[in-house]
Amino acid sequence: MDWITIRFEDDLGTRIERAAARAGQPIGAFIRGRLRDRLDEAARPLEGAFGYKGPRKPHALQAYLAHDFAYATGWTDLQEALRAKGYELAERGGGLILQTVEGDRLCKASDLGQPYSALMKRFGTPFPGHAHHHLVTRHLAQKPLPF
């Protein structure tokens, strides 16, 4: 642990002392806790004044993100829309998962009614950097017409 010295205006110092006493904590522990909480809030994109973090369950996510999936014109557009809400798609196995921008796995894209194969067909290209190249030929290859 690093040591630092902080100077407060008299009024602020007194208010901090009182708040720490009400919390039953030493002043240093109280200040560290408050700073840690604020830094954690700053790292979470959807953390607003009311503590909203967005849904985390597949059914709620499906409804919450339906517009973003429906109107996306490509992978970049979709990822930007999802990231604006604190989510992103990531490769997992032969498909995609939805995760928070911090990397917490939430569900498979297919759990949201958005299977990788359907998205790949819709956008006409595989997910950027997806390792399973055989899926491209399976889902994007033109089938010959029967004569």
Side-chain angles (χ1 to χ4, degrees):
M1 180 183 309
D2 294 327
W3 289 89
I4 62 170
T5 303
I6 302 174
R7 301 180 100 186
F8 296 110
E9 299 169 5
D10 291 340
D11 181 50
L12 181 58
T14 303
R15 289 174 43 208
I16 291 171
E17 287 177 341
R18 287 183 187 149
R22 281 193 304 273
Q25 295 180 320
I27 294 171
F30 179 78
I31 292 171
R32 281 190 302 276
R34 294 297 296 232
L35 288 172
R36 189 177 312 109
D37 292 346
R38 295 297 288 185
L39 290 172
D40 288 346
E41 287 175 15
R44 291 189 296 258
L46 290 173
E47 197 70 23
F50 301 106
Y52 178 73
K53 297 179 191 172
R56 298 180 70 85
K57 301 289 183 192
H59 291 298
L61 284 165
Q62 184 175 13
Y64 184 62
L65 301 174
H67 182 272
D68 301 307
F69 277 100
Y71 291 98
T73 58
W75 292 112
T76 303
D77 187 37
L78 179 58
Q79 284 288 65
E80 287 173 1
L82 294 175
R83 286 188 181 122
K85 292 183 176 179
Y87 306 102
E88 64 186 4
L89 291 173
E91 175 187 357
R92 184 72 78 238
L96 298 174
I97 62 164
L98 184 74
Q99 63 185 22
T100 65
V101 291
E102 292 87 15
D104 297 330
R105 183 186 190 280
L106 298 172
C107 63
K108 297 187 297 184
S110 60
D111 293 340
L112 304 174
Q114 303 292 335
Y116 177 45
S117 58
L119 290 169
M120 190 179 355
K121 287 177 189 173
R122 186 171 142 213
F123 297 144
T125 182
F127 185 74
H130 202 290
H132 290 268
H133 301 290
H134 68 281
L135 296 173
V136 175
T137 55
R138 182 189 311 165
H139 295 292
L140 292 182
Q142 292 289 336
K143 296 180 181 176
L145 296 173
F147 289 103

